[in-house]
Amino acid sequence: MESAAAALRGGALVLLPTETVYGLAADAGNPQAVAQIFEAKGRPRFNPLISHVYDLAGAERIARFDARARRLAEAFWPGPLTLVLPLADPAAVCDLARAGLETVAVRAPAHPMARALLAAFGGPVVAPSANRSGRPSPTRFRDAMDETGAAAAVALDGGDCAVGLESTVVSVLDSVRLLRPGAVTRAEIEALVGPLAEAEADVKRSPGRLAAHYAPEAPVRIEARDLRPGEVLIGFGDSGGALNLSPSGDLREAAANLFKMLREADRSRPAGIAVAPVPHEGLGEAINDRLARAAGKVG
Ligand code: TXA
Ligand code: MG
């Protein structure tokens, strides 16, 4: 882990496993290093990055927490929750990493390798998902290597990502808003901070949510109840399918399989990918959000 921390200190990039998806990591305070991330991903510079920290104490050095934000961090960190908060220290997270915003996104990841690197490095580390911009996030080491491995000086193999979907993003500013659904569900957040405000007005605050995203090469058709010529099926529950997100209908298993199976379905160069209906409740909100984006239906 020391060599990965040394790479970050030297301004190089590290391929980093987290419990959600693989990330492409850099020193948050080094604009040259952060620029390499945008370059490697082909990511538009108006889309800000998440700063990863070891714990709440590390987060409080870069962001301002009120009682609601602290309650969420204490309940879900380390884990798949990102908080968008007022910036406390502009020097710790460079302008480019924040896309010039006066807010900063922070998360303490749970994966032991991510935690070890953050402990060894000792400061905030920005890491977007390690895919090239617009492609499905990598949830396996070899997928991450295929996407942006060439840009990393050190690549850490942490096995398959247990969650398989990017973190839930919640802004805690004037009100609390859900900017991106994820493994921490809307109900779990509302249980701690009350009803969430509508996210629509916040689109400009989560710039990365504007474009169609997570798309494989083949066109994706969702809520599919039949199979059309040339299509490959990704099933759910008893819908069948050689690829099935979860034959037993378990949403956690489905989330962990989603991006992996979109990649696998794509590999045979089908005319299209048909995905069986997945329930919208709980974790299903995040799964359906990613599927809608993969299908080019933002929403
Ligand atoms: O699970 C995850 O969050 C993974 C792993 C690697 O930690 N990372 C990840 O990063 O998904 P990325 O860059 O692919 O997605 C970050 C999202 C984008 O939609 C971005 O627009 C939003 O967070 N974001 C970052 N900073 C923000 C800010 N200050 N205000 C609003 N949205 C922000
Ligand atoms: Mg991403």
Side-chain angles (χ1 to χ4, degrees):
M1 210 47 72
E2 257 324 308
S3 69
L8 292 180
R9 277 183 211 109
L13 306 187
V14 172
L15 205 60
L16 179 68
T18 84
E19 75 281 21
T20 58
V21 301
Y22 273 82
L24 185 63
D27 174 357
N30 182 335
Q32 286 82 31
V34 174
Q36 289 179 51
I37 290 183
F38 283 88
E39 193 62 35
K41 281 180 62 77
R43 179 172 175 121
R45 289 190 173 214
F46 58 75
N47 190 2
L49 307 178
I50 297 171
S51 289
H52 296 69
V53 294
Y54 183 74
D55 58 10
L56 181 55
E60 296 207 65
R61 284 196 278 274
I62 61 174
R64 285 209 309 275
F65 283 70
D66 66 10
R68 300 166 302 178
R70 202 163 288 120
R71 216 176 301 146
L72 291 170
E74 281 168 356
F76 300 113
W77 283 1
L81 176 70
T82 295
L83 296 171
V84 172
L85 303 172
L87 182 68
D89 179 5
V93 180
C94 67
D95 237 54
L96 179 59
R98 290 178 281 105
L101 298 173
E102 289 305 308
T103 56
V104 63
V106 283
R107 143 168 144 84
H111 194 292
M113 277 190 181
R115 286 178 63 71
L117 178 62
L118 290 166
F121 181 67
V125 169
V126 283
S129 49
N131 51 287
R132 278 172 285 114
S133 206
R135 302 247 316 133
S137 296
T139 58
R140 294 179 295 193
F141 181 68
R142 67 169 178 279
D143 294 336
M145 286 301 287
D146 285 350
E147 290 280 341
T148 57
V154 176
L156 300 172
D157 183 351
D160 293 1
C161 300
V163 174
L165 286 179
E166 307 84 351
S167 61
T168 304
V169 181
V170 172
S171 66
V172 185
L173 299 169
D174 45 338
S175 52
V176 184
R177 292 171 198 270
L178 182 62
L179 303 186
R180 179 173 75 183
V184 174
T185 64
R186 179 186 290 274
E188 288 176 312
I189 296 160
E190 290 189 332
L192 290 181
V193 297
L196 295 169
E198 269 315 304
E200 238 49 56
D202 241 351
V203 145
K204 66 176 186 300
R205 287 191 189 154
S206 197
R209 305 293 288 157
L210 285 170
H213 229 90
Y214 312 111
E217 301 293 328
V220 174
R221 190 164 65 85
I222 55 177
E223 310 278 355
R225 294 168 195 282
D226 56 354
L227 201 59
R228 296 177 188 166
E231 280 183 343
V232 159
L233 175 66
I234 298 180
F236 178 82
D238 50 23
S239 73
L243 293 171
N244 190 305
L245 294 170
S246 171
S248 69
D250 179 70
L251 289 172
R252 283 197 183 280
E253 184 185 19
N257 281 329
L258 180 63
F259 289 137
K260 183 173 74 182
M261 289 189 176
L262 282 173
R263 283 174 190 278
E264 266 163 27
D266 217 19
R267 209 153 283 147
S268 60
R269 304 259 160 238
I273 300 171
V275 187
V278 176
H280 287 249
E281 305 82 62
L283 188 49
E285 182 178 5
I287 296 171
N288 280 289
D289 170 81
R290 303 309 190 273
L291 283 172
R293 284 162 198 281
K297 297 187 171 67
V298 177

